[in-house]
């Protein structure tokens, strides 16, 4: 069975999820872009 490591990178405008194999090579990655909302009073 293959073993992988997952990493999350959360920034101010997007989040990344990266899957690495046992040797450290990237197997897959995905990015979600967030929109900023400003609350006004």
């Amino acid at each position: 069975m293959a073993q992988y490591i997952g990493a999350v990178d959360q920034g101010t405008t997007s989040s990344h999820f990266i899957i690495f194999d046992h040797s450290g090579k990237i197997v897959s990655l995905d990015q979600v872009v967030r929109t900023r909302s400003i609350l006004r009073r």
Side-chain angles (χ1 to χ4, degrees), residues 4-41:
Y4 300 98
I5 297 173
V8 176
D9 173 23
Q10 284 196 276
T12 56
T13 59
S14 67
S15 297
H16 296 84
F17 185 76
I18 308 166
I19 300 173
F20 299 92
D21 67 9
H22 184 66
S23 66
K25 293 182 182 175
I26 295 175
V27 175
S28 183
L29 60 91
D30 195 17
Q31 176 184 16
V32 176
V33 178
R34 295 189 306 262
T35 58
R36 290 183 67 178
S37 57
I38 300 172
L39 301 175
R40 297 177 190 223
R41 295 179 184 203

